[in-house]
């Protein structure tokens, strides 16, 4: 009888340990390069190849870190640095132009393990806003710093700076000039920014990751809206709106018409639907993007990974630059 | 038999109608003037009388609007304007000093009926930040504007401006100088702001209201933390963290150590616990303030009113300047 109990105990012990390990033996990562109304007919084969290549390279960076046992935070930060430096996306180099022809950048990052977060809004001379967001999290007692104050904090702590026009690209300049011309033709447009069309909004970047230890992280970085003014801040630097991560639940990064994402606290709403309600990751994502936001007219999408490694890439716009990877599996797409 | 059915139908119809009407026949309003570690022994009888009088006057303003059928939005805005203009509170006139000896003000407002919201961060020359937040909501396509851009938007739209030192008060200046002195003595304190003590944080103001039509609104306004730097933004202007309102659920305004409120998306978390979970307003408030935030070390509190007119004023600090009113009932308090 004693022998039997011994074997039963050994079996249960092994089984429980295996289950716990298997729960987190795999990493998972998802990225976005922005949701928007880019039309397939306007996308040349060459351009499409460039985007696909950039998204694949970003996933390579993240996967390498995660495979080697690096943290979800490191993967998220390094992937976003790569996307910020890539001029194809509306974050860092390649950010859209403000009404004054400048660039004002927003970013945030959150660590699901510690529930710590950092965010910056309206920064103009820090080369990689996501690095600054992480620095705010790690080296300041604050979560959210803005404008020159945020830049000073970054400079004091040794971050790379650039002149604001370093972020310029011809493509974004043309979009801005078009927006200015369209606005000038319309007497009511001055304050309404009605010519900031969907096309000029795409490009925000984001990354969510689950590491081998089962920890989650999320980050988002954006140049905001073309022709924006008055120090407009989107959802990218708002913890709860554009970014959220909570171990045991999920990590989320959003992209789209930021005002809708702020008012609907989208990233945390997904977490809450899973945590307090009965929704799965897939159900919560669908309800928010295809039901709630769609009914309100809020264009955009989100990427999310849950504690078990399930991934969702969900959008109600025509396309979303996106990709995901798990051990041995990968998908990169632009259109539906 | 037919006659019976007719009477049953008439009874049910009347009953349901009466229930619907009774549900919203009463207004409800709650206000806070900040949570913090103010000690009873440091509060003179005269000072206490001043605070009680200010809180009562604020409730008078809100109640008058609501009794006369005014909107929850109007009550919230007008109450907060009064509290901003009152030098006792850390919002508008009487705001705390930044590290540079200036004032940077944050505010937000949300309309539960339309789910529209407006917020401003780091503004320096707009006399009433809550007016600017409402203006952002009503006259811009945006939710959140910061710093000079936000001020320009306010000035273009005719808001009253003041020089930054108009917000000065002797009391806040002394607290700031004490913080500077304490910081200077500590070589590690420079970046850590460890001498920004709880005492210097109190004073944020907020208001939540339910109007006779059953609509909800919430607003918050704050000078942030004494000796803050680097463009630090607290929870007051973050929709979802410091402020949230959703018709049919509740309206919430928070006060306390802002970083904890941002990371925990406190205002929307309360809404989500009621909406997706089974918590009542009282349960949700208790769970967030006395369990979740307390376990994390996050000082502060919240005021909330739900769709049925239930009111909660909940805090884990020593005191919270607060008050509430419904038809024929009122309570104003500072300590527990």
């Amino acid at each position: 009888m004693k022998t039997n109990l011994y074997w039963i105990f050994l079996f249960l012990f092994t089984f429980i340990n295996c289950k716990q390990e298997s729960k987190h033996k795999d990493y998972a990562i998802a990225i976005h390069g922005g949701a928007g109304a880019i039309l397939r007919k306007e996308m040349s084969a060459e351009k499409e190849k460039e985007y696909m290549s950039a998204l694949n390279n970003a996933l390579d960076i993240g996967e390498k870190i995660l495979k080697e046992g690096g943290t979800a935070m490191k993967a998220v930060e390094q992937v976003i640095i790569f996307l910020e430096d890539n001029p194809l996306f509306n974050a860092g180099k390649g950010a859209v132009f403000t009404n004054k022809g400048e660039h004002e950048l927003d970013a945030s990052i959150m660590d699901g393990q510690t529930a710590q977060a950092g965010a910056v809004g309206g920064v103009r001379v820090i080369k990689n806003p996501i690095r600054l967001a992480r620095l705010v999290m790690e080296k300041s007692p604050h979560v959210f710093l803005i404008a020159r104050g945020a830049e000073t904090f970054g400079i004091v702590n040794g971050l790379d700076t650039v002149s604001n026009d370093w972020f310029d690209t011809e493509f974004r300049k043309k979009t801005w000039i078009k927006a200015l011309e369209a606005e000038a033709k319309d007497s009511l447009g001055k304050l309404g920014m009605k010519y900031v069309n969907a096309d000029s909004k795409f490009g925000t970047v984001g990354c969510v990751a689950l590491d081998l230890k089962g920890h989650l992280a999320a980050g988002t970085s954006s140049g905001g809206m073309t022709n924006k003014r008055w120090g407009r801040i989107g959802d990218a630097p708002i913890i709860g709106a554009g970014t959220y991560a909570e171990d045991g639940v999920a990590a989320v990064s959003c992209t789209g018409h930021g005002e809708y994402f702020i008012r609907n606290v989208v990233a945390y709403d997904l977490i809450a639907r899973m945590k307090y309600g009965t929704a799965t990751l897939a159900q919560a994502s669908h309800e928010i993007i295809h039901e709630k936001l769609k009914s309100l007219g809020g264009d955009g999408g989100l990427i999310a990974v849950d504690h078990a490694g399930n991934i969702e890439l969900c959008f109600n716009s025509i396309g979303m630059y996106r990709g995901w990877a798990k051990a041995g599996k990968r998908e990169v797409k632009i259109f539906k």
Side-chain angles (χ1 to χ4, degrees), chain A residues 8 22 52 54 77 140 142 175 180 182 188 218 260 288-289 292 325:
Chain A
I8 289 168
S22 76
M52 297 294 278
E77 186 186 17
S140 89
H142 302 309
T175 310
L180 284 181
L188 294 174
Y260 289 87
I288 293 169
I289 298 297
K292 193 173 182 188

Side-chain angles (χ1 to χ4, degrees), chain A residues 267-331:
Chain A
Y268 191 72
D269 191 40
L270 184 142
I271 302 279
R273 283 168 193 258
M274 294 176 69
K275 206 165 51 164
Y276 304 131
T278 57
T280 62
L281 185 77
Q283 287 163 345
S285 305
H286 184 90
E287 285 163 14
I288 293 169
I289 298 297
H290 293 294
E291 293 170 19
K292 193 173 182 188
L293 283 186
K294 190 149 192 178
S295 72
L296 296 168
D299 292 343
L302 61 80
I303 56 169
V305 56
D306 73 11
H307 62 100
N310 297 303
I311 289 174
E312 283 297 318
L313 303 98
C314 195
F315 57 100
N316 61 29
S317 43
I318 292 169
M320 179 165 84
Y321 302 107
R322 65 198 186 278
W324 62 269
K326 297 184 189 186
K329 290 181 204 166
R330 177 185 288 205
E331 195 171 48

Side-chain angles (χ1 to χ4, degrees), chain A residues 134-153:
Chain A
R134 188 165 184 182
L135 198 70
V136 169
M137 178 185 128
E138 290 180 348
K139 304 260 173 163
S140 89
H142 302 309
V143 172
F144 192 14
L145 304 182
I146 61 164
R148 292 195 184 198
E151 292 171 343
T152 304
F153 179 74

